[in-house]
Amino acid sequence: MSSAKPPLSKMDKSSTLIENKLARTWPSRIMIIATLFMILVTTLDAVFEGYQQLQVEVQHRREMANNTLDAINPSVASAVFNDDLPTVNHLLDHLMSFPNILYASIRNDAGIAVAEKGDNSAADRHIQLAKGLNWVVDDEQVEAGEITVIVDADVSLPHILNLMLRKSLLMLSGLLIIALGITAAYHRLTMRLRDLSLATLRICDGHTEQKIPYQSEADEVGDIARAIHKLYRNAENLYDLQDRLVRNMTQKSQEIISAKRDVTTLNRTNNLFLASVSQEIRSPLTAIRGAVTLCKNGMAGAIQEQTLSLLRIAEENCLRLEDLIQEVMDVYELQSGSLELELREVDLKSVIQRVAARWDPRARRKLQRINFDAFLDIPNVLADSIRLEQVLDIVIGNAVYYCGNGCNIQVTLSHTEEQVRISIADDGPGIPMRLRPSLFHIISEEKESQTRMQGRGVGLGLAKGIMTTMQGDISYESMSAENIKDSTLNSGTTFFIDLPIYKREDA
């Protein structure tokens, strides 16, 4: 395998040792508990069987005594009835000769003891039987007295104990043989499982040369060994795949970093090139605009009216070209992150008035009107006044450029507790649907086409970037012939510029 496997931590090893110890001890404990339980069951069974044997033996002795009394009853009754004492004593001796008879007494019909033999001191612990002595006189049964015997009930206890002992020894011998067999099988099984466990732990510790034992055996342990071996091989493949993935990811990451570095270098080069070209163009352009202004003012001599009109057009286009160069420089600063802002308290109405006054002459030439109510009570905003003026120049300038002759451009202000909104609305033709997805992009194919037709292609993208940097926002809503039903406007386009309200630190 190409890579080393991660070794087990100390906690993992301790946990593994504890689990192995438990795995070795809990089956032994179960076997001991099972053995004790079987011994208990065997003893209880022997006690129960002994008790049953005792009951049988007592019943047997009772029946034997009854049969004996029934057998000698006529003879004893005749002897008692005839007052034949020698015969009574002889019959009593004969009765005492029977096994298990502890005591015997004969009484006449008056209840007087005629004869008695034996010991009746513990009669309550033994079997006591009494039979009436019946004698027939002139075909009439006469009770001649009573015979009483006490039968021993304790003599069977040693026999019962002996029976219990023999049965318990027999069952314990069988149980011991079974336990030895189970123990041997268990130890054989645990030894093989322990070998598998140790081999697996060595592999986990990085000893890749370790072989998995018992793979050739055709039992459950062999199945486990083959499964572990297969799992180990799969793990090897996974580790190899992981190594390849890590190497590939490292290589790709280095390639991405290198490509990103190249792109950054290229962007920096392009931005520097744009800055250099813009500066190189601005210098002769300034000279050209100065010369055109001098000629227009008659510094080079009298000029004709037609020539003066051409000079005005040249001067206006020089100014537009200077604005475009400035926008290119601003885009460079915005994309390079070097755009500097001076955020401070700004009187919004004065900024709007300056921008509206600057665009009013151009609007009048197209018979347009820029309307702004400067008497509204609007709080000051937090902004960079120069950049805010640039954003308003872009939005109002677009309205002047793209609206037709005779359109109205309305600038209104509103505010909430947190921000001020500038709304710049026109009643022009609206923004075409195809331009809207990329309207705030610095450059796109649709905007390139629009730029070739009408100019100022980066303005709104630059305005969006400036507003975002100033912690504000710019958005719009437009109605064109393509979305008359979906628009909330009656006509034209409205741009919304949102700025945070300036809050003094002592407020």
Side-chain angles (χ1 to χ4, degrees):
M1 192 170 62
S2 59
S3 64
K5 308 299 185 296
L8 291 173
S9 64
K10 292 183 178 180
M11 183 176 294
D12 293 336
K13 289 182 177 180
S14 299
S15 177
T16 303
L17 292 175
I18 292 172
E19 290 175 357
N20 289 340
K21 185 176 181 180
L22 290 175
R24 290 193 297 270
T25 57
W26 73 260
S28 300
R29 293 177 180 176
I30 290 178
M31 290 180 62
I32 293 172
I33 293 172
T35 303
L36 294 175
F37 178 75
M38 292 183 69
I39 292 173
L40 178 62
V41 170
T42 303
T43 304
L44 291 176
D45 181 69
V47 170
F48 180 72
E49 185 174 351
Y51 175 75
Q52 288 184 323
Q53 290 289 337
L54 178 60
Q55 295 297 319
V56 170
E57 181 67 19
V58 169
Q59 185 64 26
H60 175 67
R61 294 188 179 189
R62 185 186 298 274
E63 291 177 356
M64 287 184 63
N66 274 324
N67 293 335
T68 303
L69 291 178
D70 289 339
I72 68 171
N73 191 297
S75 300
V76 175
S78 175
V80 171
F81 184 78
N82 295 315
D83 294 328
D84 188 357
L85 290 179
T87 303
V88 170
N89 289 324
H90 174 72
L91 290 173
L92 197 57
D93 291 336
H94 177 69
L95 180 60
M96 290 296 295
S97 64
F98 284 92
N100 304 319
I101 301 296
L102 299 178
Y103 171 80
S105 69
I106 299 174
R107 296 178 182 274
N108 58 20
D109 55 353
I112 301 172
V114 177
E116 62 178 350
K117 289 185 181 296
D119 182 15
N120 65 344
S121 59
D124 55 339
R125 295 192 299 106
H126 299 289
I127 304 168
Q128 184 173 356
L129 297 176
K131 286 272 188 178
L133 299 175
N134 298 318
W135 180 248
V136 179
V137 178
D138 297 333
D139 296 330
E140 185 176 333
Q141 191 170 6
V142 178
E143 186 174 347
E146 183 183 60
I147 183 171
T148 301
V149 295
I150 295 177
V151 182
D152 186 9
D154 293 334
V155 293
S156 58
L157 185 58
H159 171 74
I160 299 302
L161 292 176
N162 186 28
L163 177 63
M164 291 172 56
L165 180 60
R166 283 188 283 113
K167 185 172 182 178
S168 298
L169 290 176
L170 181 62
M171 294 189 68
L172 288 176
S173 299
L175 183 61
L176 180 61
I177 294 173
I178 294 173
L180 289 175
I182 293 175
T183 302
Y186 163 73
H187 280 290
R188 181 174 182 274
L189 176 63
T190 53
M191 287 298 294
R192 295 192 295 168
L193 291 177
R194 194 173 304 161
D195 292 342
L196 283 176
S197 176
L198 292 175
T200 306
L201 287 176
R202 283 181 56 81
I203 291 174
C204 292
D205 288 337
H207 300 282
T208 56
E209 75 283 355
Q210 176 66 46
K211 301 298 181 182
I212 302 296
Y214 309 120
Q215 295 186 52
S216 59
E217 297 192 10
D219 57 2
E220 288 78 4
V221 175
D223 294 338
I224 295 174
R226 288 186 290 272
I228 293 175
H229 179 75
K230 185 176 181 180
L231 181 64
Y232 168 62
R233 293 305 176 193
N234 291 337
E236 278 189 325
N237 296 333
L238 287 176
Y239 278 116
D240 291 339
L241 178 60
Q242 180 183 2
D243 286 343
R244 290 197 297 271
L245 288 175
V246 170
R247 287 195 298 270
N248 291 338
M249 289 177 64
T250 304
Q251 181 179 356
K252 294 299 181 183
S253 299
Q254 293 175 351
E255 292 176 358
I256 291 173
I257 293 173
S258 177
K260 186 177 180 180
R261 190 183 300 113
D262 294 341
V263 170
T264 302
T265 303
L266 181 60
N267 288 337
R268 188 183 300 111
T269 302
N270 290 338
N271 292 333
L272 291 174
F273 174 74
L274 287 175
S276 177
V277 170
S278 299
Q279 187 64 33
E280 292 296 329
I281 294 176
R282 179 178 291 178
S283 297
L285 182 61
T286 303
I288 292 171
R289 184 168 64 84
V292 170
T293 302
L294 290 174
C295 291
K296 186 186 72 168
N297 293 333
M299 302 299 295
I303 56 176
Q304 298 180 358
E305 185 64 28
Q306 185 178 6
T307 304
L308 183 61
S309 177
L310 293 175
L311 289 174
R312 288 195 186 98
I313 294 173
E315 184 182 28
E316 183 177 345
N317 280 281
C318 284
L319 291 173
R320 291 182 62 186
L321 188 57
E322 285 182 349
D323 290 342
L324 180 60
I325 292 173
Q326 184 60 45
E327 286 184 354
V328 171
M329 292 296 296
D330 290 338
V331 168
Y332 159 69
E333 292 179 357
L334 188 64
Q335 291 185 337
S336 63
S338 60
L339 183 66
E340 296 183 358
L341 297 176
E342 184 180 350
L343 298 179
R344 55 185 177 84
E345 184 179 9
V346 175
D347 181 6
L348 191 57
K349 291 187 290 186
S350 63
V351 175
I352 295 175
Q353 286 176 331
R354 285 198 303 270
V355 176
R358 187 162 51 247
W359 283 98
D360 188 65
R362 300 185 190 183
R364 290 182 182 277
R365 286 198 294 268
K366 297 179 67 175
L367 304 178
Q368 298 171 344
R369 293 185 61 185
I370 300 176
N371 302 314
F372 172 60
D373 185 2
F375 298 101
L376 296 174
D377 186 13
I378 296 296
N380 293 339
V381 297
L382 179 66
D384 184 312
S385 59
I386 296 175
R387 294 300 180 184
L388 176 58
E389 193 169 328
Q390 183 179 3
V391 172
L392 291 171
D393 262 327
I394 292 171
V395 177
I396 295 177
N398 280 348
V400 172
Y401 276 127
Y402 297 127
C403 287
N405 294 335
C407 289
N408 289 320
I409 300 171
Q410 182 67 41
V411 181
T412 58
L413 297 176
S414 61
H415 70 93
T416 64
E417 294 182 357
E418 299 295 332
Q419 65 180 15
V420 174
R421 167 164 284 191
I422 309 170
S423 301
I424 303 172
D426 64 65
D427 53 3
I431 301 173
M433 297 295 292
R434 62 185 178 85
L435 294 180
R436 297 184 185 186
S438 59
L439 190 66
F440 289 118
H441 294 178
I442 295 296
I443 196 67
S444 66
E445 292 183 0
E446 295 292 344
K447 295 188 71 174
E448 285 181 355
S449 174
Q450 184 75 0
T451 300
R452 287 193 292 270
M453 293 188 294
Q454 298 177 3
R456 297 180 67 85
V458 300
L460 287 176
L462 178 61
K464 183 72 171 179
I466 292 174
M467 290 305 302
T468 302
T469 308
M470 283 199 304
Q471 302 175 6
D473 192 23
I474 180 171
S475 57
Y476 73 95
E477 187 174 353
S478 181
M479 189 279 292
S480 64
E482 302 160 299
N483 71 327
I484 294 177
K485 296 181 179 179
D486 300 330
S487 177
T488 60
L489 302 177
N490 294 325
S491 63
T493 301
T494 301
F495 276 85
F496 306 102
I497 299 174
D498 297 320
L499 292 163
I501 293 178
Y502 177 79
K503 296 182 179 180
R504 292 179 174 84
E505 294 182 358
D506 57 350

